[in-house]
């Protein structure tokens, strides 16, 4: 499965736009229940003005809101981003910590966000399970589970070590563009013969690469 996904996309990464660990952290916090496209549009306006904890904290909640008002739950997210920026200044010298416990202690940062930052910014082989990964893991039978933590634990066991660093990006992109929630594009799926999903969409399948 992963050798095929790798052949299609040798160097996968997040679709969020960022240039520093702090920018990634802010973007991921804002992306909860929002699209990467929408977050990127907002960040293109925000980051040229403020892209450090000090600059974001200086904006304050009311100063930040206009930049992220197009993103869902922006009131709560604005408060969290200001609070986490201040906490980074107070406790971590203005740097994003390379530590799960410290990341999860930041306002608005849960396990999934911490996993994304650890993987994408710091190269850790973590598994950030979002709705796409949860769906793909259960549909294919790769790592079935009733909740995201069960799926995360299953994936960490099931994914071969050489693929683990990039696996969550492959699975997210596969879920976003091929194994979609309402109408999965099974005829154009590179792993359909390995998939245990019983209700595959019909159509003339494309040849599968070895």
């Amino acid at each position: 499965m992963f050798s095929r996904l790798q052949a299609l996309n040798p160097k996968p990464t997040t679709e969020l736009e960022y240039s520093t660990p702090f920018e990634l952290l802010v973007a991921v916090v804002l992306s909860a229940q929002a699209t990467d496209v929408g977050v990127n549009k907002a960040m293109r306006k925000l980051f040229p003005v403020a892209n450090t904890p000090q600059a974001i904290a200086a904006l304050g909640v009311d100063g930040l809101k206009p930049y992220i008002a197009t993103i869902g739950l922006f009131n709560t997210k604005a408060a969290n981003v200001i609070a986490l920026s201040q906490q980074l200044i107070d406790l971590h010298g203005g740097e994003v910590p390379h530590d799960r416990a410290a990341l999860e202690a930041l306002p608005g940062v849960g396990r999934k966000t911490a996993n994304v930052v650890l993987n994408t910014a710091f190269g850790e082989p973590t598994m950030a399970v979002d709705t796409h990964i949860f769906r793909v893991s259960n549909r294919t039978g790769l790592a079935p589970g009733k909740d995201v933590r069960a799926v995360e634990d299953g994936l960490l066991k099931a994914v071969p070590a050489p693929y683990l660093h990039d696996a969550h990006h492959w699975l997210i992109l596969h879920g976003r563009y091929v194994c979609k929630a309402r109408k999965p594009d099974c005829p154009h799926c590179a792993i359909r013969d390995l998939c245990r999903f019983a209700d595959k969409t019909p159509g003339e399948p494309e040849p599968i690469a070895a």
Side-chain angles (χ1 to χ4, degrees), residues 4 17 60 66 91 107 109 126 140 154 184 187 192-193 200 209:
R4 292 181 191 177
E17 297 171 0
L91 301 181
V109 177
T126 57
T140 62
R192 64 181 179 274
D193 60 319
K200 291 186 174 69

Side-chain angles (χ1 to χ4, degrees), residues 1-50:
M1 180 183 292
F2 287 100
S3 66
R4 292 181 191 177
L5 295 175
Q6 183 184 54
L8 292 171
N9 186 358
K11 294 183 178 180
T13 188
T14 178
E15 292 187 317
L16 291 169
E17 297 171 0
Y18 73 98
S19 59
T20 66
F22 177 71
E23 287 186 0
L24 176 65
L25 174 62
V26 171
V28 177
V29 168
L30 294 176
S31 71
Q33 300 182 49
T35 67
D36 288 359
V37 171
V39 172
N40 286 338
K41 287 181 180 178
M43 296 305 91
R44 288 171 198 154
K45 297 178 181 178
L46 173 63
F47 287 154
V49 174

Side-chain angles (χ1 to χ4, degrees), residues 55-95:
I56 293 285
L59 286 176
V61 173
D62 290 338
L64 177 59
K65 282 183 182 180
Y67 291 100
I68 65 171
T70 55
I71 299 173
L73 307 175
F74 73 92
N75 286 308
T76 298
K77 290 177 180 178
N80 283 334
V81 170
I82 294 300
L84 75 82
S85 297
Q86 192 60 53
Q87 191 162 315
L88 289 176
I89 295 167
D90 294 342
L91 301 181
H92 304 289
E95 299 294 328

Side-chain angles (χ1 to χ4, degrees), residues 2 6 10-13 119 162-171:
F2 287 100
Q6 183 184 54
K11 294 183 178 180
T13 188
N119 177 277
Y163 301 107
L164 194 53
H165 175 263
D166 292 325
H168 96 266
H169 293 303
W170 282 317
L171 293 173

Side-chain angles (χ1 to χ4, degrees), residues 148-160:
V148 293
R149 185 58 190 270
V151 170
E152 178 185 336
D153 292 342
L155 286 170
L156 290 173
K157 294 177 181 178
V159 178

